[in-house]
Amino acid sequence: MTEVPEYLLERSRQRRIALGVLEDDGSGESGAAAPAAAASAEAAAAGPSQAQMIAAAKEAALLEVEPEPPADPQWVLAAQTRHRIPIWVLPVLFCLPLWAFVYVKLTEPPPEPITAINEGAATYAVRCASCHVGDGSGSDGSGVGRPLWQGEVLLTFPNLEDGSFIEWIAVGSEGIGLGQPYGDPDRPGGAHISGETGSNMPAFGEVLNEHQLYSVARYVREVIGGEDISDEVAAERDAEWEHLGGGAVTGGGGGGGH
């Protein structure tokens, strides 16, 4: 291990005293021997050795003061101190669309119950309105079928319960027989004759089931034809419609809607 010359130690001590790191005890260089001083002078003349340079660098490094790091910007401080979103919020956000869907469904008004009358109205709109017109005016209006409104259908078929009107809807003109009378033979103005208008009545018995035939007949008579019936008769007709399968097939009956 290389020994540090005395003059360098003394120089270091003097520097520390000058910087206030070490107090001066007055020792100075009085204890140093003359040969050491001579050797030191020779060494100084020859220039510092590698070991001396390393020692001086270490001493200088010890005396250097580390600068304080700069303060963080305000946006960094704000990011470090703001509240984090709690983890339980994530499932809540995920379930919000499902909750909104359920809420809308629960607040929607219940669907209108299926009744013989509104079932008959739907059937009439699809199967009958093209010839007899939506209001039942038929050939009195812009249609080609016989008029059903203003009591006309009641003059031809006075009684629903005898089944003649439902048979007419089911078998049509050809089922009754072209040129044959149908309905009430004592109808004012004479009985209607199958096919006499040139616009034959189609047969719907293969496309409509029993309760649909019954409900469309009720709709034509009670709504378009203006038939006036009592609550007791309406209840009996509702029971007959349900007996034929009304309501059970269409998702739940609600009576005739009379």
Side-chain angles (χ1 to χ4, degrees):
M1 181 175 179
T2 305
E3 293 185 359
V4 180
E6 289 293 334
Y7 81 94
L8 287 178
L9 293 176
E10 177 62 21
R11 183 182 299 174
S12 176
R13 189 179 71 82
Q14 293 298 331
R15 187 173 181 180
R16 289 197 298 272
I17 292 172
L19 293 173
V21 178
L22 183 67
E23 293 184 359
D24 187 5
D25 58 359
S27 59
E29 296 182 357
S30 57
S40 298
E42 292 178 1
S49 65
Q50 182 178 2
Q52 293 170 349
M53 294 174 64
I54 293 174
K58 287 181 178 180
E59 181 182 359
L62 291 174
L63 296 177
E64 291 181 359
V65 180
E66 289 288 337
E68 293 184 1
D72 291 333
Q74 290 297 325
W75 62 270
V76 175
L77 296 175
Q80 293 173 347
T81 57
R82 72 183 177 187
H83 296 290
R84 299 295 191 270
I85 299 176
I87 191 65
W88 58 263
V89 172
L90 296 178
V92 172
L93 294 176
F94 178 79
C95 294
L96 275 178
L98 177 61
W99 174 85
F101 176 80
V102 173
Y103 176 80
V104 170
K105 288 298 180 183
L106 290 177
T107 54
E108 286 181 349
E112 183 181 357
I114 300 297
T115 67
I117 296 302
N118 59 32
E119 180 186 78
T123 302
Y124 181 88
V126 174
R127 303 292 182 181
C128 312
S130 59
C131 292
H132 296 283
V133 190
D135 60 2
S137 59
S139 58
D140 287 349
S142 58
V144 296
R146 287 191 183 273
L148 302 173
W149 66 351
Q150 300 175 355
E152 284 293 324
V153 66
L154 304 180
L155 295 176
T156 308
F157 300 101
N159 190 352
L160 175 65
E161 280 65 34
D162 65 7
S164 59
F165 185 30
I166 296 176
E167 180 187 11
W168 170 251
I169 298 172
V171 302
S173 297
E174 294 186 358
I176 294 295
L178 297 178
Q180 297 298 315
Y182 64 91
D184 186 4
D186 299 324
R187 187 187 192 282
H192 283 172
I193 305 300
S194 174
E196 68 179 340
T197 64
S199 176
N200 294 338
M201 172 71 174
F204 292 104
E206 295 184 358
V207 294
L208 300 178
N209 56 39
E210 287 185 320
H211 69 81
Q212 289 174 323
L213 290 169
Y214 189 82
S215 63
V216 74
R218 283 193 63 183
Y219 175 76
V220 170
R221 294 178 62 88
E222 298 173 25
V223 178
I224 294 178
E227 182 181 24
D228 185 17
I229 59 175
S230 66
D231 291 340
E232 289 77 14
V233 172
E236 291 175 0
R237 291 181 177 181
D238 293 343
E240 178 64 18
W241 173 68
E242 292 177 355
H243 174 72
L244 294 173
V249 176
T250 54
H258 176 67

